[in-house]
Amino acid sequence: MPNPKDQPDRHYRGASTQSVHGGAARDKGFHAMTTPIVQTATFTFKNTAELIDFLDAKVYGGELDREEYARYGNPSTWSLEARIAQLEGAGDALVYPSGMSAVTSLFLTVLRPGTHIIMTDDCYRRTRQFCLTTLKKFGIETSIVPMCDYEALEAAIIPRKTRFIFTETPTNPYLRVVDLARLVDLARANRALTLLDTTFATPVNLRPLDYGIDFVLHSATKYFGGHNDVLGGAIAGDAGRIKALKDARGMFGNVIDPHQAFLIERGLKTLAVRVRHQNEAALQVARFLEQHNKIDRVHYPGLPAHPDHEIACAQMSGFGGVVSFEVAGDIHATSDFIDRLRIPYIAPSLGGTESLIEQPAYVSYYDLSPQERQAAGIGDNLVRFALGIEDAEDIIADLDDALRQVPSCVDTI
Ligand SMILES: *Cc1c(COP(=O)(O)O)cnc(C)c1O
């Protein structure tokens, strides 16, 4: 009888089983429960015949079950990549040393001079900068359209030139949710590829490839790693396209370190457990804030008042662990409130075990003038709260205490 634990392509239905066991079969031969950290720069061959077998497989497309040189790959990443592919329902996945490394490599690999990409306006700021500066130098133009404005998106398409439509969902900091079926229809009608950064959703809450999205991108620094202790990035998609990215990665040289891969795989095993907890806790926090008189507005797709609530309900199985809100007060009242909180650390990033809080007017947009920030839609009183895995009751009590001390605007009007 074949050993049931040895089947190379066991596919599980649940995200938690997938994160724990999704890549495990690939580890056979090591005998270790966990994936070993293969700390090596190169890999040896017994003799020339073994080398030639390997090269034949590599050149003529056979089964490759080993590595040659660590810039091309390391067994420490096989199981991690298999788990991510299974979670996303993808043909394959590839990991990178950071999320930015993943997105910049993808663009540099797939785009040619004279092509054009479209991105939405609340995309990650560094990605936008990369497109508007580096890609521009290589003769690639970028159009930026307002998030969820499908008419503007369609109008921005340049027939035969637009190669990529890039968006995020949910976005930062307003948690806007894009209608994937609509996006894919538009892209396909115009022969453009779609790239979706779903760092905020994770495959536990959203599986974009099921909607026909071509590439899914993650900053593994956030929920995948999940412990605020490691950087990483990942791309999932069709196996042939991922292979092209892997070949390019061998030239760019932006490979992940085996220890970094180990930490992300370890984090990934608890992804579904963490994210489901964060979904629930964030919804409670959002509801608490929404009814609070010291809060002007809450941005969370799980609330019926959010502009994308309906599509979020239809598309996502949870609304994620980030809640943005506007304090009823000015920039100082807002930072004063943040400083009074005991649980969240003041830090950029999200998706880890510890709650993190930031005032975008400072953290991401400090270099802009108040007018520029206003034009970018970043209010002085805006706060982004990225929940960790603490208990909702403690977070709410902490927020409640700090809000009590915000001077009430109602009195001064
Ligand atoms: C953090 C982040 C990135 C960049 O990822 P790094 O791992 O920091 O390079 C890209 N997109 C989103 C949505 C992010 O939150």
Side-chain angles (χ1 to χ4, degrees), residues 62-302:
E63 179 76 25
L64 278 180
D65 58 358
R66 56 159 294 155
E67 298 289 355
E68 164 190 19
Y69 181 65
R71 182 161 31 76
Y72 303 123
N74 183 307
S76 303
T77 70
W78 295 349
S79 152
L80 171 60
E81 288 166 343
R83 281 169 218 257
I84 295 171
Q86 198 168 122
L87 281 161
E88 291 289 2
D92 209 349
L94 202 57
V95 288
Y96 289 88
S98 70
M100 282 312 296
S101 168
V103 64
T104 54
S105 302
L106 175 68
F107 281 147
L108 289 174
T109 307
V110 177
L111 295 169
R112 287 169 224 295
T115 55
H116 169 251
I117 62 175
I118 301 173
M119 62 196 304
T120 49
D121 59 357
D122 50 0
C123 273
Y124 193 68
R125 192 161 174 231
R126 296 289 171 201
T127 315
R128 219 171 2 166
Q129 274 178 348
F130 173 78
C131 294
L132 295 174
T133 57
T134 309
L135 289 185
K136 193 170 171 58
K137 267 197 325 211
F138 292 113
I140 297 153
E141 294 296 329
T142 302
S143 300
I144 296 183
V145 299
M147 179 70 186
C148 297
D149 183 342
Y150 302 93
E151 282 77 37
L153 181 61
E154 189 162 12
I157 292 173
I158 307 175
R160 287 182 299 279
K161 274 188 84 172
T162 303
R163 181 93 174 96
F164 251 117
I165 300 177
F166 174 42
T167 184
E168 280 172 29
T169 199
T171 61
N172 178 33
Y174 293 113
L175 290 316
R176 298 299 307 265
V177 178
V178 76
D179 181 338
L180 294 185
R182 213 165 157 183
L183 180 77
V184 167
D185 277 352
L186 257 178
R188 290 205 171 146
N190 293 281
R191 296 169 172 272
L193 294 169
T194 42
L195 165 62
L196 193 72
D197 181 337
T198 46
T199 299
F200 276 52
T202 83
V204 179
N205 287 338
L206 178 69
R207 297 231 316 189
L209 300 177
D210 297 346
Y211 293 82
I213 291 288
D214 295 300
F215 292 100
V216 175
L217 172 84
H218 288 278
S219 166
T221 313
K222 316 293 167 52
Y223 291 97
F224 283 12
H227 292 73
N228 291 321
D229 58 3
V230 64
L231 291 171
I235 295 178
D238 163 79
R241 290 198 176 117
I242 295 292
K243 165 119 189 7
L245 289 174
K246 188 168 182 183
D247 291 344
R249 192 184 64 178
M251 285 185 287
F252 292 146
N254 50 341
V255 278
I256 192 164
D257 178 82
H259 186 245
Q260 208 178 347
F262 175 87
L263 286 174
I264 296 170
E265 184 171 331
R266 181 186 163 109
L268 198 68
K269 290 182 187 180
T270 55
L271 176 75
V273 175
R274 284 184 282 107
V275 169
R276 286 174 188 146
H277 171 85
Q278 285 160 316
N279 286 339
E280 259 180 50
L283 188 57
Q284 287 181 45
V285 167
R287 286 181 178 150
F288 162 77
L289 291 169
E290 192 182 36
Q291 53 73 44
H292 203 290
N293 67 347
K294 302 276 183 69
I295 297 293
D296 276 350
R297 263 184 92 181
V298 182
H299 306 272
Y300 188 68

